[in-house]
Amino acid sequence: MLAFVLVTVIGAVAAAWASYGSARGSMVDEAQQRATDEIRRRVAAVTADLTYPPDQGALDRLRAAVGAPALVTYGSLSSAEGTGLGLLTGELRAEVRDREALVFQRVTSDEGPRLLVGTPVMRTSVDGARAPSGIEVYAVRDLTPTQQRIDASAEAAVRTSALALPLAIVLALFAAGGVLRPVRELGGTARRLADGDLDARLRVRGSDELAELSATFNHMAAELQDSVDELRRMEADSRRFVADVSHELRTPLTTLTAVAEVLEGEAQRMTPDARESTLLAVEETRKLTRLVEDLIEVSRFDSGTASLRREQVWVRRAVEDCLRARGLLDQVELDAPDDVTAVLDRRRLDVLVANLVGNAFTHGRPPVLVRLRADDEQVEVTVVDHGPGLPEGGRHRVFERFYKADAARTRSEGSGLGLALALENARLHGGDVVAGDEPGAGARFVATLRRFPREDT
């Protein structure tokens, strides 16, 4: 729009001043021509009756015929009348004598612009030849009226240029609007599409390039919607399949767990080979049970049905209960104040702490430190081990489901979902889990939980 306005204004200014320049030159030329023609005519009307050599009376008559201000000279005789004759210079008089023709010159005085005209009086001999008579006529003509007309023309040019500016802005807005409005609509629709509104479409108007772009965008949006719908359907089917399989496995696994506990109690009376096989089967059954429970929990998060059952919790006591239930209380160094309370889901806090501590023992090395801190807004639970630390490039990937730092490890003691579930439980509490390395130790996981629920929730 600025470029359009600039070009339009420059064009208007150039046209106006070109017109002004042309008019100015024309008016000046016209004034000069009129003044010189008038002086020639008046001089010619008097010189036909002059006798040579002329006397003072003849010079006076010639000067009167030319009109004041004027100066007529012949040798030492002269006749002058009017103001402004001081503008006549020796250079002008020399040029009149040298050229033996009418000479004019424009000058500027304190009174305004003036036209100086000088011409020699020519006499005609008996044989018809023309020669200088020695009489020189000089006149001063006021160009102020012409200058006023020129100034009026300049003001008109300025007004024309000034009027061109708002007109140019209106035209620029109109032209730019025709281009920018569809572009803005395209940008707005693209943002709606990026925000998840897959039904966002553009109105196709006309048949120009913008209309073609709108049609292409709509086609792209339709293809994207089809692809996303298909991916969502496949993802929903996959989640439903995992949830259904997990729930179907839950009942037989409950039976297997009961049988495994019975076999574990009888293992001591078995032969060594049978006992080893039995204990291995018991352990694998428990792993499978934990995996199924984790998958069921993951399916709840994926389906959006996971919720919090908040209650007033003494956080240190809840962490101690979590570690005691898993036989880890004596193996973990707990750094926590006694008076920290929060409104949390106790079961999900238990799962979060158990998964972070279990990960520290599985992939790190003792001693394991659990540090609890709190402020007015949040509770912070930090778990530090003394293992090798996080793998290169694994700081963010450790929270991926079934992620293994060593691709060659196909089996591990955990399900591969512990850290992912810890992160989901922290986010459900309005917090997060951040992984890093502890200076002088191993891996460090910091979980933050909103201490009290928001008023709007």
Side-chain angles (χ1 to χ4, degrees), residues 38-39 41-47 58-68 70 72 141:
E38 180 185 6
I39 291 173
R41 180 173 52 78
R42 292 186 178 188
V43 169
V46 175
T47 55
L59 296 182
D60 291 339
R61 287 194 302 275
L62 182 56
R63 186 261 307 156
V66 171
V72 179
R141 294 293 180 259

PDB file of all heavy atoms in Angstrom, residues 38-39 41-47 58-68 70 72 141:
ATOM      1  N   GLU A  38       5.758  45.335 -28.203  1.00  0.00           N
ATOM      2  CA  GLU A  38       5.196  46.655 -27.950  1.00  0.00           C
ATOM      3  C   GLU A  38       6.270  47.738 -28.091  1.00  0.00           C
ATOM      4  O   GLU A  38       6.032  48.800 -28.703  1.00  0.00           O
ATOM      5  CB  GLU A  38       4.586  46.701 -26.549  1.00  0.00           C
ATOM      6  CG  GLU A  38       3.975  48.064 -26.207  1.00  0.00           C
ATOM      7  CD  GLU A  38       3.498  48.113 -24.760  1.00  0.00           C
ATOM      8  OE1 GLU A  38       3.755  47.137 -24.006  1.00  0.00           O
ATOM      9  OE2 GLU A  38       2.903  49.127 -24.386  1.00  0.00           O
ATOM     10  N   ILE A  39       7.477  47.456 -27.539  1.00  0.00           N
ATOM     11  CA  ILE A  39       8.544  48.451 -27.636  1.00  0.00           C
ATOM     12  C   ILE A  39       8.967  48.635 -29.088  1.00  0.00           C
ATOM     13  O   ILE A  39       9.186  49.780 -29.556  1.00  0.00           O
ATOM     14  CB  ILE A  39       9.722  48.018 -26.752  1.00  0.00           C
ATOM     15  CG1 ILE A  39       9.328  48.126 -25.274  1.00  0.00           C
ATOM     16  CG2 ILE A  39      10.963  48.862 -27.036  1.00  0.00           C
ATOM     17  CD1 ILE A  39      10.348  47.558 -24.321  1.00  0.00           C
ATOM     18  N   ARG A  41       7.135  48.254 -31.699  1.00  0.00           N
ATOM     19  CA  ARG A  41       6.063  48.974 -32.401  1.00  0.00           C
ATOM     20  C   ARG A  41       6.106  50.465 -32.067  1.00  0.00           C
ATOM     21  O   ARG A  41       5.977  51.327 -32.956  1.00  0.00           O
ATOM     22  CB  ARG A  41       4.724  48.362 -32.015  1.00  0.00           C
ATOM     23  CG  ARG A  41       3.517  49.026 -32.670  1.00  0.00           C
ATOM     24  CD  ARG A  41       2.258  48.253 -32.365  1.00  0.00           C
ATOM     25  NE  ARG A  41       2.110  48.016 -30.945  1.00  0.00           N
ATOM     26  CZ  ARG A  41       1.684  48.939 -30.074  1.00  0.00           C
ATOM     27  NH1 ARG A  41       1.380  50.149 -30.493  1.00  0.00           N
ATOM     28  NH2 ARG A  41       1.563  48.637 -28.801  1.00  0.00           N
ATOM     29  N   ARG A  42       6.314  50.779 -30.803  1.00  0.00           N
ATOM     30  CA  ARG A  42       6.328  52.194 -30.417  1.00  0.00           C
ATOM     31  C   ARG A  42       7.562  52.922 -30.976  1.00  0.00           C
ATOM     32  O   ARG A  42       7.477  54.084 -31.422  1.00  0.00           O
ATOM     33  CB  ARG A  42       6.303  52.304 -28.885  1.00  0.00           C
ATOM     34  CG  ARG A  42       4.984  51.846 -28.284  1.00  0.00           C
ATOM     35  CD  ARG A  42       4.940  52.116 -26.790  1.00  0.00           C
ATOM     36  NE  ARG A  42       3.664  51.724 -26.221  1.00  0.00           N
ATOM     37  CZ  ARG A  42       3.289  51.990 -24.971  1.00  0.00           C
ATOM     38  NH1 ARG A  42       4.133  52.672 -24.178  1.00  0.00           N
ATOM     39  NH2 ARG A  42       2.122  51.613 -24.527  1.00  0.00           N
ATOM     40  N   VAL A  43       8.691  52.217 -30.928  1.00  0.00           N
ATOM     41  CA  VAL A  43       9.906  52.841 -31.488  1.00  0.00           C
ATOM     42  C   VAL A  43       9.741  53.060 -32.982  1.00  0.00           C
ATOM     43  O   VAL A  43      10.083  54.138 -33.531  1.00  0.00           O
ATOM     44  CB  VAL A  43      11.139  51.978 -31.201  1.00  0.00           C
ATOM     45  CG1 VAL A  43      12.358  52.465 -31.991  1.00  0.00           C
ATOM     46  CG2 VAL A  43      11.443  51.977 -29.707  1.00  0.00           C
ATOM     47  N   ALA A  44       9.185  52.114 -33.669  1.00  0.00           N
ATOM     48  CA  ALA A  44       9.003  52.233 -35.121  1.00  0.00           C
ATOM     49  C   ALA A  44       8.036  53.367 -35.467  1.00  0.00           C
ATOM     50  O   ALA A  44       8.200  54.060 -36.490  1.00  0.00           O
ATOM     51  CB  ALA A  44       8.505  50.900 -35.681  1.00  0.00           C
ATOM     52  N   ALA A  45       7.022  53.563 -34.610  1.00  0.00           N
ATOM     53  CA  ALA A  45       6.045  54.614 -34.895  1.00  0.00           C
ATOM     54  C   ALA A  45       6.643  56.004 -34.810  1.00  0.00           C
ATOM     55  O   ALA A  45       6.192  56.943 -35.477  1.00  0.00           O
ATOM     56  CB  ALA A  45       4.859  54.475 -33.926  1.00  0.00           C
ATOM     57  N   VAL A  46       7.687  56.162 -33.995  1.00  0.00           N
ATOM     58  CA  VAL A  46       8.286  57.491 -33.815  1.00  0.00           C
ATOM     59  C   VAL A  46       9.468  57.699 -34.744  1.00  0.00           C
ATOM     60  O   VAL A  46       9.671  58.801 -35.288  1.00  0.00           O
ATOM     61  CB  VAL A  46       8.709  57.668 -32.333  1.00  0.00           C
ATOM     62  CG1 VAL A  46       9.442  58.992 -32.138  1.00  0.00           C
ATOM     63  CG2 VAL A  46       7.492  57.588 -31.423  1.00  0.00           C
ATOM     64  N   THR A  47      10.266  56.684 -34.939  1.00  0.00           N
ATOM     65  CA  THR A  47      11.504  56.860 -35.700  1.00  0.00           C
ATOM     66  C   THR A  47      11.245  57.164 -37.173  1.00  0.00           C
ATOM     67  O   THR A  47      12.130  57.681 -37.857  1.00  0.00           O
ATOM     68  CB  THR A  47      12.366  55.586 -35.603  1.00  0.00           C
ATOM     69  OG1 THR A  47      11.597  54.447 -36.020  1.00  0.00           O
ATOM     70  CG2 THR A  47      12.859  55.377 -34.191  1.00  0.00           C
ATOM     71  N   ALA A  58      13.632  65.467 -29.961  1.00  0.00           N
ATOM     72  CA  ALA A  58      13.337  64.191 -30.621  1.00  0.00           C
ATOM     73  C   ALA A  58      13.518  63.024 -29.650  1.00  0.00           C
ATOM     74  O   ALA A  58      12.734  62.068 -29.632  1.00  0.00           O
ATOM     75  CB  ALA A  58      14.242  64.028 -31.841  1.00  0.00           C
ATOM     76  N   LEU A  59      14.583  63.103 -28.820  1.00  0.00           N
ATOM     77  CA  LEU A  59      14.801  62.015 -27.831  1.00  0.00           C
ATOM     78  C   LEU A  59      13.672  61.970 -26.818  1.00  0.00           C
ATOM     79  O   LEU A  59      13.231  60.889 -26.403  1.00  0.00           O
ATOM     80  CB  LEU A  59      16.147  62.219 -27.137  1.00  0.00           C
ATOM     81  CG  LEU A  59      17.410  62.137 -28.025  1.00  0.00           C
ATOM     82  CD1 LEU A  59      18.663  62.307 -27.182  1.00  0.00           C
ATOM     83  CD2 LEU A  59      17.449  60.828 -28.807  1.00  0.00           C
ATOM     84  N   ASP A  60      13.193  63.166 -26.413  1.00  0.00           N
ATOM     85  CA  ASP A  60      12.097  63.203 -25.432  1.00  0.00           C
ATOM     86  C   ASP A  60      10.831  62.581 -26.019  1.00  0.00           C
ATOM     87  O   ASP A  60      10.098  61.859 -25.329  1.00  0.00           O
ATOM     88  CB  ASP A  60      11.836  64.632 -24.971  1.00  0.00           C
ATOM     89  CG  ASP A  60      12.989  65.187 -24.122  1.00  0.00           C
ATOM     90  OD1 ASP A  60      13.769  64.349 -23.574  1.00  0.00           O
ATOM     91  OD2 ASP A  60      13.092  66.417 -24.002  1.00  0.00           O
ATOM     92  N   ARG A  61      10.560  62.917 -27.310  1.00  0.00           N
ATOM     93  CA  ARG A  61       9.361  62.345 -27.921  1.00  0.00           C
ATOM     94  C   ARG A  61       9.478  60.812 -28.018  1.00  0.00           C
ATOM     95  O   ARG A  61       8.502  60.081 -27.792  1.00  0.00           O
ATOM     96  CB  ARG A  61       9.163  62.955 -29.323  1.00  0.00           C
ATOM     97  CG  ARG A  61       8.692  64.388 -29.287  1.00  0.00           C
ATOM     98  CD  ARG A  61       8.181  64.826 -30.668  1.00  0.00           C
ATOM     99  NE  ARG A  61       9.196  64.682 -31.701  1.00  0.00           N
ATOM    100  CZ  ARG A  61      10.126  65.578 -31.981  1.00  0.00           C
ATOM    101  NH1 ARG A  61      10.179  66.711 -31.287  1.00  0.00           N
ATOM    102  NH2 ARG A  61      10.989  65.387 -32.953  1.00  0.00           N
ATOM    103  N   LEU A  62      10.659  60.345 -28.361  1.00  0.00           N
ATOM    104  CA  LEU A  62      10.857  58.897 -28.478  1.00  0.00           C
ATOM    105  C   LEU A  62      10.699  58.216 -27.109  1.00  0.00           C
ATOM    106  O   LEU A  62      10.060  57.177 -26.980  1.00  0.00           O
ATOM    107  CB  LEU A  62      12.245  58.614 -29.060  1.00  0.00           C
ATOM    108  CG  LEU A  62      12.597  57.138 -29.282  1.00  0.00           C
ATOM    109  CD1 LEU A  62      11.566  56.463 -30.179  1.00  0.00           C
ATOM    110  CD2 LEU A  62      14.004  57.023 -29.901  1.00  0.00           C
ATOM    111  N   ARG A  63      11.277  58.874 -26.084  1.00  0.00           N
ATOM    112  CA  ARG A  63      11.154  58.299 -24.739  1.00  0.00           C
ATOM    113  C   ARG A  63       9.705  58.280 -24.288  1.00  0.00           C
ATOM    114  O   ARG A  63       9.232  57.316 -23.685  1.00  0.00           O
ATOM    115  CB  ARG A  63      12.027  59.109 -23.776  1.00  0.00           C
ATOM    116  CG  ARG A  63      12.119  58.549 -22.364  1.00  0.00           C
ATOM    117  CD  ARG A  63      11.162  59.269 -21.439  1.00  0.00           C
ATOM    118  NE  ARG A  63      11.394  60.709 -21.541  1.00  0.00           N
ATOM    119  CZ  ARG A  63      10.473  61.599 -21.251  1.00  0.00           C
ATOM    120  NH1 ARG A  63       9.261  61.235 -20.905  1.00  0.00           N
ATOM    121  NH2 ARG A  63      10.747  62.902 -21.343  1.00  0.00           N
ATOM    122  N   ALA A  64       8.958  59.329 -24.580  1.00  0.00           N
ATOM    123  CA  ALA A  64       7.547  59.391 -24.196  1.00  0.00           C
ATOM    124  C   ALA A  64       6.739  58.330 -24.931  1.00  0.00           C
ATOM    125  O   ALA A  64       5.803  57.748 -24.381  1.00  0.00           O
ATOM    126  CB  ALA A  64       6.997  60.786 -24.469  1.00  0.00           C
ATOM    127  N   ALA A  65       7.104  58.097 -26.206  1.00  0.00           N
ATOM    128  CA  ALA A  65       6.378  57.086 -26.969  1.00  0.00           C
ATOM    129  C   ALA A  65       6.619  55.684 -26.411  1.00  0.00           C
ATOM    130  O   ALA A  65       5.723  54.841 -26.379  1.00  0.00           O
ATOM    131  CB  ALA A  65       6.797  57.144 -28.439  1.00  0.00           C
ATOM    132  N   VAL A  66       7.855  55.441 -25.959  1.00  0.00           N
ATOM    133  CA  VAL A  66       8.176  54.103 -25.403  1.00  0.00           C
ATOM    134  C   VAL A  66       7.455  53.891 -24.093  1.00  0.00           C
ATOM    135  O   VAL A  66       6.973  52.819 -23.778  1.00  0.00           O
ATOM    136  CB  VAL A  66       9.702  53.946 -25.243  1.00  0.00           C
ATOM    137  CG1 VAL A  66      10.045  52.693 -24.473  1.00  0.00           C
ATOM    138  CG2 VAL A  66      10.371  53.970 -26.601  1.00  0.00           C
ATOM    139  N   GLY A  67       7.311  54.930 -23.284  1.00  0.00           N
ATOM    140  CA  GLY A  67       6.638  54.799 -21.994  1.00  0.00           C
ATOM    141  C   GLY A  67       7.623  54.559 -20.883  1.00  0.00           C
ATOM    142  O   GLY A  67       8.617  53.862 -21.025  1.00  0.00           O
ATOM    143  N   ALA A  68       7.350  55.196 -19.740  1.00  0.00           N
ATOM    144  CA  ALA A  68       8.240  55.072 -18.580  1.00  0.00           C
ATOM    145  C   ALA A  68       8.070  53.703 -17.933  1.00  0.00           C
ATOM    146  O   ALA A  68       6.986  53.092 -18.004  1.00  0.00           O
ATOM    147  CB  ALA A  68       7.941  56.175 -17.591  1.00  0.00           C
ATOM    148  N   ALA A  70      11.891  54.545 -19.057  1.00  0.00           N
ATOM    149  CA  ALA A  70      12.603  54.378 -20.313  1.00  0.00           C
ATOM    150  C   ALA A  70      13.783  55.333 -20.345  1.00  0.00           C
ATOM    151  O   ALA A  70      13.791  56.373 -19.679  1.00  0.00           O
ATOM    152  CB  ALA A  70      11.685  54.606 -21.497  1.00  0.00           C
ATOM    153  N   VAL A  72      16.508  56.982 -23.380  1.00  0.00           N
ATOM    154  CA  VAL A  72      16.886  57.108 -24.789  1.00  0.00           C
ATOM    155  C   VAL A  72      18.194  57.889 -24.823  1.00  0.00           C
ATOM    156  O   VAL A  72      18.305  58.970 -24.224  1.00  0.00           O
ATOM    157  CB  VAL A  72      15.810  57.820 -25.621  1.00  0.00           C
ATOM    158  CG1 VAL A  72      16.253  57.950 -27.081  1.00  0.00           C
ATOM    159  CG2 VAL A  72      14.481  57.089 -25.509  1.00  0.00           C
ATOM    160  N   ARG A 141      10.368  46.902 -17.857  1.00  0.00           N
ATOM    161  CA  ARG A 141       8.978  46.474 -17.747  1.00  0.00           C
ATOM    162  C   ARG A 141       8.802  45.598 -16.497  1.00  0.00           C
ATOM    163  O   ARG A 141       9.625  44.753 -16.181  1.00  0.00           O
ATOM    164  CB  ARG A 141       8.540  45.700 -18.990  1.00  0.00           C
ATOM    165  CG  ARG A 141       8.498  46.557 -20.241  1.00  0.00           C
ATOM    166  CD  ARG A 141       7.388  47.603 -20.107  1.00  0.00           C
ATOM    167  NE  ARG A 141       7.306  48.461 -21.296  1.00  0.00           N
ATOM    168  CZ  ARG A 141       7.799  49.673 -21.384  1.00  0.00           C
ATOM    169  NH1 ARG A 141       8.484  50.163 -20.359  1.00  0.00           N
ATOM    170  NH2 ARG A 141       7.649  50.402 -22.470  1.00  0.00           N
TER     171      ARG A 141
END
